[in-house]
Amino acid sequence: MNIFGKIRDGLKKTRDSVSAMVGDVISSFSKIDEDFYEELEETLILCDIGVSATQRIIEELRLKVKADKITETAGVKKQLIEIIADLLTFDDVAIEEPCIVLVVGVNGVGKTTSIGKLAKLFKEDGKKVYLAAADTFRAAAVEQLSEWGARANVKVIKYGQGADPAAVVYDAIDSAKHNNVDLLICDTAGRLHNKKNLMNELSKINRVIDKSYSEASKKTYLVVDATTGQNAVVQAKEFSEAADLSGVILTKLDGTAKGGIVCAISAELNLPVVFVGVGEAIDDLHPFDAQEFAANLLE
Ligand SMILES: Nc1nc2c(ncn2[C@@H]2O[C@H](COP(=O)(O)OP(=O)(O)OP(=O)(O)O)[C@@H](O)[C@H]2O)c(=O)[nH]1
Ligand SMILES: [Mg+2]
């Protein structure tokens, strides 16, 4: 199956739901009036698009409808796709090499799996990739990352469980520098005893990166599980207080009709979604394309 086929499949649940629900509103009103806007607003919120993203979408739609003198609801879908694509488009998402990618998020969201998939994606793109096993907290985390490293055929820098994560990152950077690595992707622990520990650990890792490899660029990707709905937004807010986030990897989009959450996260946190996970296999991660996503969501 080609890549678009896979994404379409992965988004099928989402597409059926959001596009069907918005389609219903459009077909049950023919003229654009206040009742239509109200119904559309309610529907978008029901689709997990979130209050603030929904308000921005409706506001934009009103402006476009006015500017283009649209009177029939049939003309609205195309406008909505444009507005949503726009909402999901951000500057500065490109990765400049060499780059250290820190992958963070609460436990079980799919950090380690996404790192394995990312390694394969970048490697296929001709990049030299190393992984750092800086989740030394959870039992078997290091082994799990090693397995993904073997699958993607990239080197994994590791100590054992219980080691200092910042020390692992320090060593991994040293090795990455000497071997002209393009991307060093670091796994991190999903759960520490409390939020303060987690923040301290992340800031310690960040200090090591800044001190030992200031020439490299840095990305911090937050992994969130799409099936958790609005909870994902809450998690993203908490992490954005602990780390300077560059973007979101949204996993398990194959398991939800709530793909609208992509809009909620981008709008509430002003963060781009950079990759989406649509399954458990190594090829089930795709760079996020706002235009394609918006079209898939509504068509
Ligand atoms: N269906 C589906 N499952 C996924 C996806 N991404 C990850 N998973 C599954 O989610 C589960 C947890 O993935 P992990 O990668 O171990 O998550 P983690 O965030 O590293 O977890 P901790 O290390 O415990 O914090 C695994 O069973 C994965 O196969 C996805 O895009 N779709
Ligand atoms: Mg993990």
Side-chain angles (χ1 to χ4, degrees):
M1 194 189 296
N2 72 21
I3 185 166
F4 289 105
K6 269 225 135 178
I7 297 178
R8 283 193 86 87
D9 251 23
L11 288 175
K12 197 169 185 316
K13 287 188 182 156
T14 291
R15 198 171 66 239
D16 286 349
S17 150
V18 181
S19 88
M21 284 169 79
V22 171
D24 276 355
V25 181
I26 289 177
S27 58
S28 59
F29 290 82
S30 59
K31 294 266 177 271
I32 298 174
D33 56 16
E34 280 311 305
D35 287 348
F36 167 71
Y37 280 123
E38 209 168 283
E39 186 86 12
L40 183 62
E41 186 169 352
E42 258 172 44
T43 303
L44 293 177
I45 290 171
L46 274 179
C47 293
D48 246 353
I49 283 174
V51 175
S52 79
T54 297
Q55 279 167 354
R56 276 172 60 184
I57 293 167
I58 298 285
E59 225 166 85
E60 282 289 316
L61 183 63
R62 282 181 189 274
L63 293 174
K64 276 187 188 269
V65 161
K66 217 170 177 184
D68 297 352
K69 300 193 170 61
I70 304 168
T71 54
E72 309 283 321
T73 58
V76 161
K77 198 178 245 182
K78 194 172 147 269
Q79 310 291 335
L80 278 176
I81 292 173
E82 264 176 40
I83 293 167
I84 291 175
D86 211 43
L87 181 96
L88 298 173
T89 302
F90 288 76
D91 295 333
D92 301 329
V93 289
I95 290 178
E96 267 176 52
E97 289 131 19
C99 183
I100 317 240
V101 180
L102 206 56
V103 178
V104 303
V106 303
N107 63 305
V109 287
K111 293 179 297 298
T112 308
T113 307
S114 297
I115 290 170
K117 295 167 172 175
L118 275 177
K120 171 129 194 272
L121 260 186
F122 288 130
K123 205 172 172 222
E124 276 176 351
D125 203 24
K127 311 294 183 199
K128 187 164 185 183
V129 182
Y130 275 15
L131 306 181
D135 176 1
T136 59
F137 185 75
R138 185 170 67 74
V142 176
E143 287 78 1
Q144 191 194 354
L145 189 74
S146 301
E147 269 171 36
W148 277 106
R151 262 177 234 155
N153 196 18
V154 303
K155 188 169 172 173
V156 181
I157 312 295
K158 56 189 171 189
Y159 295 176
Q161 191 193 346
D164 177 2
V168 177
V169 172
Y170 182 88
D171 262 16
I173 286 177
D174 197 48
S175 182
K177 262 190 199 169
H178 287 103
N179 292 284
N180 293 317
V181 164
D182 298 308
L183 289 129
L184 171 65
I185 313 175
C186 311
D187 197 10
T188 65
R191 179 177 43 193
L192 292 176
H193 308 293
N194 59 45
K195 202 171 137 195
K196 192 158 170 280
N197 280 347
L198 183 65
M199 285 199 208
N200 286 343
E201 182 167 305
L202 289 180
S203 53
K204 193 170 166 196
I205 293 175
N206 271 309
R207 278 200 305 277
V208 165
I209 296 173
D210 294 342
K211 259 197 202 151
S212 54
Y213 206 0
S214 56
E215 314 88 274
S217 69
K218 196 169 74 176
K219 294 276 188 200
T220 303
Y221 291 151
L222 175 72
V223 180
V224 292
D225 173 343
T227 63
T228 58
Q230 292 300 320
N231 228 342
V233 179
V234 176
Q235 281 167 24
K237 275 192 175 146
E238 289 198 343
F239 270 92
S240 66
E241 288 162 20
D244 185 13
L245 301 177
S246 339
V248 170
I249 298 175
L250 192 68
T251 58
K252 312 188 193 183
L253 213 49
D254 51 309
T256 175
K258 304 265 177 149
I261 198 69
V262 173
C263 305
I265 287 175
S266 270
E268 298 263 351
L269 292 138
N270 198 25
L271 271 181
V273 171
V274 283
F275 293 94
V276 289
V278 290
E280 299 192 82
I282 197 159
D283 292 316
D284 291 334
L285 186 86
H286 304 286
F288 181 73
D289 180 323
Q291 189 63 50
E292 184 196 18
F293 181 85
N296 265 297
L297 196 65
L298 287 177
E299 264 164 9

